[in-house]
Amino acid sequence: MRSRILAGAAVAAAATLVLAGCSSGATDGSSDGLSIEVPDVPMMQEKGEYEGEVNIVAWSGFVEPAWSDEFTEQTGCVVNRKVAGTSDEMVQLMQSGDYDLVSASGDASLRLIVGGDVQPLNLELIPNFGDDIVEGMKGQIYDTLNGKSYGVPIGRGANILQYNSEVVTETPDSWSVAWEADSPYAGKVIAYDAPIYIADAAIYLMATDPELGIKNPYALDQTQLDAAIELLQQQNKIVSEYWADPAAQITSFVGGTTELGTSWEVLRKLTEDDKFKSVLPKEGSTGWSDAWMLATDAKNPNCAYEWMNYTSSPEVNGAIAMNFGMAPANAAFCELNDEAKAHCDYYNATDEEYFKNVWFWTTPIEQCIDGRTDVTCTNFQQWTDAWAKVKG
């Protein structure tokens, strides 16, 4: 199981983005109307002969022998996997020039695009990227810029509110039980340990303090960031612990240290106890979406393109989603059999109404991606510094 830790490193490249246009402001995270100056990296026009191998940086569970061996049998491309534990590590490894592909999350992908580390993709060379890819994972700001796609979707998930139903006897419909100082569960609240968690505070403020004018939780000016930090510091007083390691989060719930807080659907499932429930509160939530991205100077681009196509098929994409515990990108998987359908139902795979309330992780940058041009938004380094203050 991976740990999506965002602590530490500054995002110098993302902090220097220049916004040439403006955002559509769409709550689905669409990049329509957004134009950002990025390195002019050429797109591959046609595939050639397979090179014999492909080197991949991936989350644990994304590249397994069950499908990589089959891929090798079909293509002759040997799959060499490097498991990364954090988005920062993925960015660093891709910058080394040793890898062809990465399974990047939204908090890493924008950095890779702006840094010139990944190239735009020719989707005509990836026929499995077609009508069956769920609409909510196409054309998103974290992997699609200036009309060019830089990522092939793999899967997605929401950061939901998990709770112990034996203690929290009424189903909560709001994040208030996790944020407000007078929460009846004070001292039993668990929170995510990363600067990107600031966006969770921003989402709650969007609903409870509309005068702040927050339109996108990843586009915060200094006043809005200060308000989010104030809320986080308030929450800090009722938090039992912060988690970045999924195993530790499960232990906290099962051991009774925690009764409610931020989680993933797969973590609730792994607790293997029916008393633990989850809900997507009315304010919405943050979430994560992963995509294959191709290195600018990939040494094995033909094998890499074929890997992206192979893993986008319903069967293989579904196998990855089931192995990790997330909603697959290819909706056709959901129709393969009863087991696939049950998996898709559990993770809301094709329920776009559900995911309309989810703001997928996107690296905060100085140019406001909510369309504002009269202010400067705060960048990831500022979020990192602010998070250190929250944690004390």
Side-chain angles (χ1 to χ4, degrees):
M1 177 74 61
R2 69 180 153 183
S3 176
R4 296 169 177 270
I5 307 169
L6 287 167
V11 189
T16 58
L17 284 173
V18 177
L19 186 63
C22 63
S23 166
S24 66
T27 56
D28 62 0
S30 171
S31 63
D32 292 345
L34 183 66
S35 180
I36 294 177
E37 290 184 8
V38 298
D40 186 15
V41 178
M43 180 178 68
M44 190 165 155
Q45 296 302 314
E46 60 183 13
K47 286 198 293 186
E49 295 184 2
Y50 298 138
E51 300 86 358
E53 67 175 354
V54 60
N55 301 303
I56 305 175
V57 177
W59 297 117
S60 177
F62 276 40
V63 181
E64 300 299 317
W67 44 89
S68 60
D69 288 352
E70 180 184 61
F71 175 74
T72 300
E73 290 178 7
Q74 292 180 6
T75 64
C77 300
V78 175
V79 179
N80 302 311
R81 178 192 67 169
K82 170 67 175 179
V83 173
T86 71
S87 288
D88 287 343
E89 183 183 0
M90 285 189 169
V91 172
Q92 293 165 6
L93 288 169
M94 287 299 286
Q95 291 173 339
S96 73
D98 295 333
Y99 299 93
D100 303 302
L101 285 171
V102 62
S103 62
S105 297
D107 54 292
S109 53
L110 191 56
R111 286 186 261 175
L112 291 168
I113 296 171
V114 172
D117 302 307
V118 293
Q119 59 181 274
L121 299 176
N122 186 340
L123 299 181
E124 293 184 0
L125 304 181
I126 311 173
N128 282 329
F129 187 107
D131 294 339
D132 291 327
I133 300 298
V134 294
E135 287 301 317
M137 294 189 72
K138 293 180 179 179
Q140 300 301 300
I141 188 173
Y142 42 79
D143 61 19
T144 303
L145 288 176
N146 308 334
K148 297 179 180 179
S149 176
Y150 290 81
V152 173
I154 306 169
R156 59 181 172 174
N159 296 322
I160 43 81
L161 176 62
Q162 180 173 311
Y163 61 96
N164 181 345
S165 63
E166 292 183 355
V167 176
V168 185
T169 54
E170 292 187 12
T171 303
D173 67 349
S174 170
W175 283 107
S176 61
V177 291
W179 287 106
E180 298 297 343
D182 61 353
S183 169
Y185 311 105
K188 293 287 187 176
V189 176
I190 197 168
Y192 192 57
D193 190 1
I196 205 71
Y197 185 61
I198 292 171
D200 293 70
I203 286 174
Y204 186 64
L205 289 172
M206 287 170 66
T208 59
D209 193 353
E211 291 186 3
L212 283 169
I214 300 174
K215 302 300 182 184
N216 184 309
Y218 305 103
L220 305 181
D221 59 37
Q222 189 61 57
T223 298
Q224 293 165 340
L225 177 62
D226 290 344
I229 297 307
E230 183 178 353
L231 178 60
L232 285 157
Q233 289 172 328
Q234 172 180 289
Q235 186 194 46
N236 178 264
K237 298 175 182 178
I238 66 171
V239 165
S240 55
E241 61 184 282
Y242 292 90
W243 72 277
D245 178 1
Q249 192 263 13
I250 293 172
T251 299
S252 184
F253 269 99
V254 173
T257 302
T258 292
E259 303 297 358
L260 63 81
T262 303
S263 183
W264 305 332
E265 292 286 12
V266 67
L267 299 187
R268 176 171 72 83
K269 194 171 188 178
L270 289 172
T271 58
E272 298 182 343
D273 192 325
D274 290 340
K275 71 181 181 182
F276 295 109
K277 310 293 184 182
S278 65
V279 64
L280 181 66
K282 61 186 179 183
E283 297 90 358
S285 76
T286 57
W288 43 270
S289 179
D290 297 331
W292 299 115
M293 306 189 85
L294 178 63
T296 297
D297 298 318
K299 297 180 178 65
N300 307 291
N302 295 295
C303 283
Y305 257 94
E306 190 55 36
W307 173 264
M308 289 188 286
N309 186 55
Y310 168 78
T311 54
S312 295
S313 69
E315 296 82 3
V316 181
N317 179 248
I320 295 171
M322 291 188 71
N323 189 54
F324 178 70
M326 62 182 174
N330 194 323
F333 166 73
C334 303
E335 306 300 324
L336 292 182
N337 52 51
D338 290 343
E339 183 182 21
K341 184 179 186 305
H343 177 88
C344 289
D345 288 345
Y346 184 87
Y347 291 99
N348 302 286
T350 59
D351 187 350
E352 292 304 331
E353 286 301 314
Y354 177 87
F355 282 108
K356 278 183 178 180
N357 295 317
V358 177
W359 295 83
F360 292 105
W361 286 348
T362 305
T363 305
I365 59 177
E366 290 181 358
Q367 285 67 40
C368 299
I369 60 173
D370 61 2
R372 289 179 294 168
T373 57
D374 57 338
V375 296
T376 299
C377 278
T378 51
N379 61 45
F380 189 67
Q381 180 59 59
Q382 291 170 286
W383 283 38
T384 301
D385 294 342
W387 182 247
K389 294 179 181 178
V390 172
K391 294 293 296 296

